[in-house]
Amino acid sequence: MELTHVAVGNGNCTVRIDGPESKHTVLLLPGAGDGPDVYDGVCERLHNSDLRTIVPEDIAGLDEAAVMGLLDELKVGWVNLVGSREGAELAWSLAARQFGRFASLVVADRGHPAAPDAAGAVRGSDCPAVELPTTVMVGDPDRRPEADASGRFVYSDFRVVQLDGVSNVPAAAAAELATEIVLRTSPW
């Protein structure tokens, strides 16, 4: 694993880069409070599938501009985007507003920002629809309606995967998450 410090915005971001040199790269955005090691089991499986991974050490302070700057600094053009919880919120926003930079989207435990959550709250009614093949994974059955409602905001192939009783998808369902990512990176 290579740790790289990249200047983004007014600060630096440390990222873990690993896996084989490949034309397929996966950017994995962890949830707030999760370290990059939450994706270790996922990354191991992705590397075995010939995918290169980039994982920020922390998403605190990252926004759309910072992530795009990070990818530019790393000279990564076409990326498969993955996010969990707060990282998923950032991933939705990136996928919706940065057309032509991302190949696919896989998110865990967050629906599209314009879809109402279980309490009926809408986090981001101004978030445009996503035009990427998208998978939403949920570990809590209460999030299923939010995930299903996200389909209205995806103008491409859309899939929902429910994993009952999984409180943190990357940590507790690494194999399932890696499988969904690999499926989304395949052109077939």
Side-chain angles (χ1 to χ4, degrees):
M1 168 186 32
E2 172 189 347
L3 281 177
T4 302
H5 302 284
V6 180
V8 291
N10 294 331
N12 285 318
C13 179
T14 302
V15 295
R16 293 180 176 192
I17 302 173
D18 206 355
E21 289 294 331
S22 171
K23 65 180 181 176
H24 297 285
T25 302
V26 181
L27 174 64
L28 300 113
L29 301 169
D34 284 342
D37 57 338
V38 74
Y39 285 117
D40 283 354
V42 175
C43 287
E44 180 182 344
R45 288 169 173 84
L46 296 179
H47 301 157
N48 289 335
S49 295
D50 199 33
L51 298 170
R52 189 152 182 83
T53 58
I54 300 171
V55 184
E57 288 277 309
D58 188 3
I59 66 160
L62 287 182
D63 59 10
E64 290 174 47
V67 172
M68 297 310 292
L70 170 79
L71 294 174
D72 289 343
E73 284 291 318
L74 294 173
K75 296 178 179 31
V76 178
W78 195 246
V79 179
N80 297 281
L81 190 55
V82 178
S84 175
R85 297 187 332 267
E86 294 82 5
E89 291 177 18
L90 179 56
W92 276 111
S93 184
L94 283 160
R97 292 183 171 94
Q98 301 295 329
F99 187 76
R101 191 69 185 261
F102 301 103
S104 66
L105 175 65
V106 177
V107 293
D109 291 324
R110 287 294 190 277
H112 188 279
D117 65 14
V122 174
R123 291 181 311 281
S125 60
D126 63 333
C127 187
V130 171
E131 296 185 39
L132 296 173
T134 301
T135 300
V136 179
M137 300 181 75
V138 292
D140 181 349
D142 291 341
R143 286 205 173 270
R144 181 63 191 245
E146 175 185 353
D148 289 336
S150 298
R152 291 185 356 184
F153 304 100
V154 177
Y155 300 159
S156 187
D157 182 59
F158 178 70
R159 175 176 157 84
V160 175
V161 176
Q162 184 171 327
L163 305 167
D164 290 338
V166 176
S167 61
N168 187 333
V169 172
E176 292 86 345
L177 179 55
T179 298
E180 294 302 324
I181 295 167
V182 169
L183 287 172
R184 287 295 179 201
T185 60
S186 298
W188 51 287

